[in-house]
Structure formats: structure tokens, C-alpha cells
Amino acid sequence: SYGAAGGERNVAAWLEKIFGPDHPIPQYEVNPRTTEILHHLSECNRVRDRDVYLVIEDLKQKASEYKSERISRKQSCICLQKGPKLIIVIRTWTF
């Protein structure tokens, strides 16, 4: 089980980050079970954000390499899937 006081603070901070300053955090029952569930979601979100960041950085690096090598393509399509829901499709055209 996730620690009560520290867990609630961490979950509240994560929810504030997710909803942003312009949107209120929806009310929810604060108890050990909901805190544990929301903490698990926050960890999944953190891992997914890190994975997306790494994919973006990798694509930036590849784009830089392609540009420096002057590889010309009429169309390239990069389709990546990480997990069951994240799909990134990037299409570029060069003339």
C-alpha cells in the first residue's frame, strides 16, 4: 500500500500538473485505495512521458543525421508503437 500523507501530496501534485492551472481538479474520495490507484496511474504516466520524450529525441537525432547526410526522399513514413495505445506517425516530404 502506498503511504497515506506523502502519497496524497504526490497524487495531488501530479493531478495539478495534469489538469494545469486553468482547470480545477475534479473531486474524488481520498482514501488509501484511491490514492494507490492514482499513484499507479501517475507512475504509468511518468513512464509513458519518458518513453515519448525518448522517441522524440531519437527522431530529432535521426532527422539531423538525414539532413547532414543530405538524404533526399520523396516520402518517408515512420510508424512507432509503444504499448497498446501510443502510435506516432510522421510523414515528411522533401523536394
Side-chain angles (χ1 to χ4, degrees):
S1 178
Y2 190 61
E8 289 173 16
R9 283 193 299 274
N10 290 340
V11 165
W14 173 69
L15 290 171
E16 287 174 7
K17 177 183 169 192
I18 294 298
F19 285 96
D22 298 333
H23 297 90
I25 297 171
Q27 290 187 349
Y28 62 96
E29 183 179 342
V30 178
N31 62 46
R33 180 74 179 134
T34 58
T35 299
E36 186 176 344
I37 291 168
L38 289 170
H39 172 70
H40 177 73
L41 287 173
S42 73
E43 286 300 304
C44 291
N45 184 259
R46 183 185 62 77
V47 169
R48 180 64 54 106
D49 284 350
R50 187 200 67 221
D51 290 347
V52 169
Y53 172 80
L54 292 173
V55 168
I56 289 170
E57 291 302 309
D58 185 54
L59 291 174
K60 285 180 183 177
Q61 178 66 32
K62 285 181 173 131
S64 176
E65 290 170 5
Y66 286 146
K67 187 175 182 179
S68 68
E69 294 172 8
R70 304 220 185 272
I71 294 176
S72 168
R73 298 170 182 230
K74 289 188 178 181
Q75 179 181 2
S76 66
C77 177
I78 302 170
C79 302
L80 303 170
Q81 182 168 354
K82 175 73 176 167
K85 294 187 180 179
L86 175 65
I87 297 175
I88 298 173
V89 177
I90 299 174
R91 292 187 180 165
T92 59
W93 289 268
T94 57
F95 300 100

